[in-house]
Amino acid sequence: MSIVQEYLEWKKIYDPTPPKPNKTYNRFFWWRRYQEHNFLPKRANIFDKARNGDYDVSPYWKQREWEHWFEDQEIEKYRKEYKGSFEDRGWGERQVSKLFWERRKRLLNDAERDEKNRWEMLVKDLKTCFGGDEETIKTMFESFEGTMSEFIVTYRDSRDLPKLQPVPSL
């Protein structure tokens, strides 16, 4: 791997600069800047759902961290454009910070709710496809390292289900 490729990999993981928001304004969800994840239908294959990212970590966690960066940018912009007295500048900065604090709080609520829903969907799909109980899935999931597709395959193999035999041709 070349130095450029290593740098691009590092930048994808560690770069604090968030991607540009790609969502139009929604007055009912004003605190969300990005498009929501499109889940596959309930009847879709469990492996397709894993590939689609339906069971991955909620994107709201990352968006919540990006709000710190957006806040710094907004305060810097406010300081450059401010024309009033120095004493009143702090009040305006607090108003900007207050808006971002509220946005981060709502994103945290969304992230926790989304994470819970994703976990419940994973457990329900695993129990439907391969059987088992939530406690077994939880203990196996906590000790597993790998992708979601690998976890599903490992869980399926741990259940000792009978292998499907091909249909004989007549």
Side-chain angles (χ1 to χ4, degrees):
M1 188 184 301
S2 72
I3 294 174
V4 174
Q5 289 172 331
E6 286 180 19
Y7 171 73
L8 292 175
E9 287 295 317
W10 174 87
K11 188 172 180 180
K12 268 198 285 189
I13 297 170
Y14 298 106
D15 188 24
T17 309
K20 196 170 191 128
N22 58 354
K23 184 178 182 209
T24 57
Y25 182 75
N26 180 348
R27 70 180 192 190
F28 301 109
F29 294 107
W30 60 267
W31 60 91
R32 297 180 183 174
R33 294 180 187 262
Y34 298 91
Q35 205 69 26
E36 292 183 29
H37 175 76
N38 292 327
F39 291 95
L40 291 179
K42 290 181 179 181
R43 298 272 182 201
N45 186 340
I46 192 169
F47 293 102
D48 292 338
K49 286 183 177 183
R51 260 184 255 115
N52 189 45
D54 290 1
Y55 307 125
D56 291 344
V57 175
S58 177
Y60 296 124
W61 295 112
K62 197 66 150 168
Q63 293 175 24
R64 184 175 183 271
E65 289 182 22
W66 290 337
E67 285 304 316
H68 292 288
W69 187 84
F70 284 122
E71 180 181 12
D72 292 341
Q73 299 298 313
E74 196 67 32
I75 288 176
E76 200 61 39
K77 180 178 154 190
Y78 177 79
R79 286 178 181 165
K80 286 179 184 173
E81 295 174 358
Y82 185 70
K83 301 265 191 269
S85 66
F86 182 75
E87 293 81 20
D88 294 338
R89 188 175 84 177
W91 182 85
E93 288 178 11
R94 279 191 298 280
Q95 294 302 316
V96 171
S97 292
K98 213 161 100 172
L99 173 70
F100 282 94
W101 183 86
E102 180 67 27
R103 180 173 268 147
R104 283 193 299 269
K105 183 178 90 169
R106 289 179 184 236
L107 282 170
L108 175 66
N109 291 339
D110 286 349
E112 289 172 345
R113 188 179 321 113
D114 190 40
E115 200 74 23
K116 180 179 178 283
N117 292 340
R118 286 172 185 244
W119 172 254
E120 289 173 353
M121 185 172 51
L122 173 66
V123 169
K124 181 180 172 227
D125 289 347
L126 284 171
K127 285 168 42 176
T128 302
C129 292
F130 310 118
D133 61 344
E134 184 172 356
E135 195 59 39
T136 309
I137 295 169
K138 184 177 178 184
T139 55
M140 191 171 176
F141 188 79
E142 287 174 348
S143 63
F144 185 79
E145 290 185 23
T147 64
M148 190 56 69
S149 298
E150 292 169 354
F151 173 73
I152 294 170
V153 170
T154 305
Y155 182 75
R156 179 190 65 192
D157 295 343
S158 73
R159 296 289 301 151
D160 292 330
L161 299 173
K163 303 292 184 222
L164 293 176
Q165 301 297 324
V167 177
S169 59
L170 300 173

